[in-house]
Amino acid sequence: MRRGFLLMMILAACNPEPSRFGFGRAATVREIDSLNISITPDGKGLPVGSGNAALGQVLYTSKCAACHGATGTEVSNNRLVAVFGDTVKAKTIGNYWPYATTVFDYIRRAMPYNSPGSLTNEEVYSLTAFLLWRNGIIDSTKEINAHNLAAVVMPAKTLYINDDRRGGDEIR
Amino acid sequence: MSNKIPRRTWLKAAAVTAVASLVGNTRAEPQDPTKTQGASPGKLGSRSPFEQPEKKPSDISSRTPLQDLYGTITPSDLHFERSHAGVPVIDPEKYELLIHGMVERPMIFRLKDLKRFPAFSRIAFIECSGNFRTGKTTMTPQEICGLTSQSEWTGVMLSTLFREVGVSPKASWFLAEGSDAAVMTRSIPVSKGLEDGMIAYAQNGEAIRPQQGYPARLFLPGWEGNTNVKWIRRIELSDQPFMTREETSKYTETVKDGKIRQFSFDMDARSVITYPSYPQQVEKGWIEIRGIAWSGRGKIDSVEVSTDAGKNWTKAILQEPVLDKAHTYFRHLWRWDGQTTEIMSRAIDDTGYRQPTLQQLINARGTDMGGYHVNPVTAWVLQQDGTVLFKPEKWK
């Protein structure tokens, strides 16, 4: 009896959480689809559509050049264009970005700055193609779409290493 | 005439006048407070008009005035800010957090649902990983490293939410997505979420401030500020990182041989003397050197202070409580002889890591090292006239 009471006290003190509380509600497929815009570097999540550099150039001039410069090289803070091996200090898509899918993902999420989320998927593909072409990564005529964007090899990818700091008696 | 007075000066003067007028006096100088009734109790407290600590904003961030603070808690309205598309306005009644991907049960939690789960609180810092500025002697701690702040955060542990949705044992990463205009995203290892990650909805006893992520944010103790995604709306479990812009083209740093270091999550140990510092003025005699030390890897083990430009070091007193991944107050009594000298501090954490000099960082990472995770020893020069100046070192 006394031992049972003690056991109860110990269990109460531990205050274990239930495996589920039952708070919140199930998300429907429609709800998930309406929010889920993420893209993985293997291309999963890329939407239907395609674009090319020629169309992208027109869009770039009207929607991007005000901040990023007429050719993507003029503004040091927002510079987008410098081919791999270029000695410019700016970190650009050509000399720094490791995955082409990130270009599409970021433009679709956050650009243009004065009207984020306003571009169609086709427009984002074209801008992506334009920027990849300007950075010397793809041919000017290449049609970019959900099936081939992830296969574009970004030259800076080979430079990336994982964090090697571990604390302890070593400065890294 | 009056429109030539700088706005801030005018505001300060107006605040002092306001106090005077509260006690029925139109002069700028307050009257003897023992001779008239004071102000009535109010609905909200306020700072004394004689105290005017302010954040220092730029276009993209705003810095905590470390030199004006005491102890370790940052007043919520002085917590640093960094955002990528401004501060959104989110209706708490409409707020929802979706958790999906590699889970058994994709679920949506309203704010009131999150608040029903066990409420966990901890005191810890958040520091932006781009938290080092240098270049001139007239720089305050706020300007050098004011992108660190500390609060008591309250919320629901991610481990609780992960159990609620049934995270797959194969899930190794999750995407955290904000509902700001950048829909900002970071990929986080599931292991960190399970270790001590939380969804925080309160800060220092009240709802999180909009600038800190109202109504809910991700909080990852000890990890670089950017991973603590504010205004969080979606968590997607995955078996790989998403390689978003903020973990590739930003928040990565160049190190030796042209390599780029990625997923540098932990904030290394650091300290800064906040008194005396620029623009304070000191006098010969006893000075209590004070400051904060912190480590994203654990507890501060000790802080060493030098008052002779780094020749000799003495252990400072650590003010209790010394908390895990938290700003820790340190104090060191010192008698200044009035001669020009340099004072500095270095933190040692419980992994044995010792805060490096800028030169040690350059030696380790190369002269082209990037601007993230730069945590050097900060030196102040005390001049004979009692002025205190920052000692900038050559970097780039």
Side-chain angles (χ1 to χ4, degrees):
Chain A
M1 182 71 184
R2 197 174 173 81
R3 277 182 59 177
F5 177 73
L6 268 174
L7 190 65
M8 267 176 59
M9 289 297 284
I10 289 165
L11 280 176
C14 293
N15 193 11
E17 291 187 7
S19 59
R20 282 185 71 189
F21 287 90
F23 305 155
R25 63 178 166 84
T28 65
V29 172
R30 182 188 289 256
E31 284 173 321
I32 295 168
D33 288 348
S34 73
L35 274 187
N36 184 6
I37 54 169
S38 45
I39 296 162
T40 42
D42 55 11
K44 203 178 102 203
L46 279 167
V48 174
S50 67
N52 59 56
L55 290 168
Q57 180 145 27
V58 177
L59 287 161
Y60 179 88
T61 302
S62 67
K63 294 179 189 261
C64 317
C67 293
H68 293 285
T71 67
T73 58
E74 291 82 357
V75 193
S76 63
N77 261 354
N78 299 328
R79 182 167 177 153
L80 296 172
V81 174
V83 298
F84 192 69
D86 193 321
T87 53
V88 297
K89 287 265 184 214
K91 297 167 179 176
T92 69
I93 293 168
N95 71 20
Y96 203 84
W97 289 45
Y99 295 96
T101 47
T102 314
V103 181
F104 183 98
D105 179 62
Y106 184 66
I107 295 172
R108 185 164 70 157
R109 278 176 192 283
M111 290 290 124
Y113 191 79
N114 61 354
S115 188
S118 62
L119 300 170
T120 65
N121 289 333
E122 300 277 327
E123 288 174 323
V124 178
Y125 275 116
S126 285
L127 282 168
T128 303
F130 170 72
L131 289 170
L132 292 173
W133 166 61
R134 286 285 299 137
N135 279 283
I137 294 165
I138 63 168
D139 200 73
S140 68
T141 57
K142 188 176 173 85
E143 198 76 10
I144 287 292
N145 58 42
H147 304 292
N148 65 12
L149 179 60
V152 172
V153 176
M154 301 293 276
K157 190 186 172 200
T158 55
L159 301 177
Y160 278 72
I161 56 168
N162 270 322
D163 186 15
D164 56 354
R165 299 167 308 140
R166 296 286 178 269
D169 187 22
E170 194 174 21
I171 306 301
R172 281 174 175 268
Chain B
M1 182 70 191
S2 68
N3 62 1
K4 285 189 178 159
I5 299 171
R7 183 174 155 78
R8 265 185 57 185
T9 310
W10 187 84
L11 282 174
K12 281 186 187 180
V16 173
T17 309
V19 169
S21 64
L22 275 178
V23 293
N25 191 320
T26 52
R27 287 185 301 172
E29 285 296 306
Q31 282 280 23
D32 178 352
T34 68
K35 298 295 182 280
T36 51
Q37 299 303 315
S40 302
K43 287 187 175 175
L44 286 175
S46 60
R47 223 163 249 136
S48 162
F50 300 101
E51 301 293 329
Q52 310 258 337
E54 284 182 336
K55 290 196 284 189
K56 190 177 174 69
S58 71
D59 287 348
I60 58 167
S61 69
S62 192
R63 299 166 160 267
T64 293
L66 298 174
Q67 67 280 359
D68 297 330
L69 303 184
Y70 306 88
T72 62
I73 299 288
T74 310
S76 298
D77 61 353
L78 297 175
H79 194 290
F80 86 86
E81 284 180 62
R82 171 76 175 96
S83 55
H84 292 251
V87 178
V89 178
I90 299 167
D91 181 346
E93 290 296 317
K94 293 179 183 154
Y95 172 82
E96 288 183 340
L97 172 64
L98 166 67
I99 306 183
H100 71 112
M102 294 173 68
V103 302
E104 281 172 44
R105 299 171 290 276
M107 293 191 73
I108 288 174
F109 302 98
R110 297 164 300 174
L111 186 61
K112 60 179 92 165
D113 297 326
L114 295 176
K115 290 181 178 178
R116 290 175 73 190
F117 288 102
F120 181 84
S121 290
R122 82 178 286 170
I123 294 170
F125 75 86
I126 296 182
E127 182 184 17
C128 175
S129 56
N131 191 24
F132 177 60
R133 295 284 181 278
T134 184
K136 58 178 184 179
T137 58
T138 52
M139 289 178 79
T140 63
Q142 180 173 28
E143 291 167 313
I144 298 161
C145 58
L147 298 176
T148 186
S149 307
Q150 175 146 293
S151 301
E152 182 196 58
W153 301 97
T154 300
V156 48
M157 297 304 289
L158 268 182
S159 55
T160 301
L161 292 175
F162 282 1
R163 204 165 57 237
E164 198 71 17
V165 299
V167 166
S168 162
K170 288 182 183 153
S172 50
W173 292 79
F174 68 90
L175 185 77
E177 181 179 272
S179 48
D180 56 335
V183 202
M184 209 208 74
T185 42
R186 283 295 299 257
S187 305
I188 309 293
V190 168
S191 56
K192 176 64 177 177
L194 292 173
E195 184 196 335
D196 59 3
M198 63 194 278
I199 300 294
Y201 47 73
Q203 174 186 9
N204 297 333
E206 61 174 342
I208 281 189
R209 301 261 166 150
Q211 297 79 8
Q212 268 69 62
Y214 183 85
R217 79 176 306 168
L218 181 61
F219 180 48
L220 302 174
W223 279 25
E224 64 179 3
N226 182 255
T227 63
N228 295 257
V229 174
K230 299 190 275 192
W231 316 292
I232 189 164
R233 73 169 191 185
R234 188 167 73 90
I235 288 175
E236 180 178 355
L237 280 298
S238 173
D239 57 4
Q240 60 179 314
F242 291 76
M243 300 297 178
T244 71
R245 183 249 200 182
E246 311 303 338
E247 61 210 19
T248 54
S249 85
K250 304 289 174 185
Y251 302 100
T252 53
E253 58 269 5
T254 42
V255 289
K256 274 192 173 159
D257 306 321
K259 295 291 181 190
I260 300 167
R261 189 157 66 195
Q262 190 182 28
F263 298 128
S264 311
F265 294 125
D266 292 291
M267 297 307 298
D268 280 324
R270 188 170 188 180
S271 68
V272 64
I273 292 171
T274 54
Y275 179 85
S277 67
Y278 179 79
Q280 293 147 0
Q281 191 78 24
V282 288
E283 286 174 42
K284 192 170 136 176
W286 286 106
I287 292 175
E288 186 178 61
I289 295 171
R290 300 167 188 156
I292 49 171
W294 64 98
S295 169
R297 296 183 191 275
K299 286 182 181 165
I300 288 298
D301 173 81
S302 54
V303 175
E304 296 171 339
V305 170
S306 172
T307 56
D308 57 4
K311 289 185 205 68
N312 296 285
W313 295 84
T314 314
K315 272 194 181 179
I317 293 169
L318 295 188
Q319 176 63 58
E320 293 289 340
V322 177
L323 300 173
D324 203 31
K325 303 171 184 176
H327 284 173
T328 300
Y329 209 42
F330 67 87
R331 303 185 280 117
H332 176 66
L333 259 183
W334 171 54
R335 192 161 195 169
W336 183 39
D337 62 9
Q339 297 304 304
T340 299
T341 191
E342 274 175 41
I343 62 169
M344 59 191 78
S345 64
R346 62 185 181 203
I348 297 124
D349 72 14
D350 61 4
T351 73
Y353 178 89
R354 187 180 297 257
Q355 182 183 1
T357 61
L358 187 62
Q359 192 56 53
Q360 282 177 295
L361 287 167
I362 293 168
N363 292 348
R365 300 178 189 173
T367 47
D368 287 333
M369 76 168 172
Y372 297 111
H373 295 281
V374 181
N375 59 326
V377 167
T378 300
W380 302 100
V381 179
L382 272 60
Q383 304 194 120
Q384 286 183 16
D385 63 359
T387 54
V388 184
L389 294 173
F390 173 52
K391 189 188 176 196
E393 291 170 273
K394 272 213 168 142
W395 179 14
K396 285 184 178 176

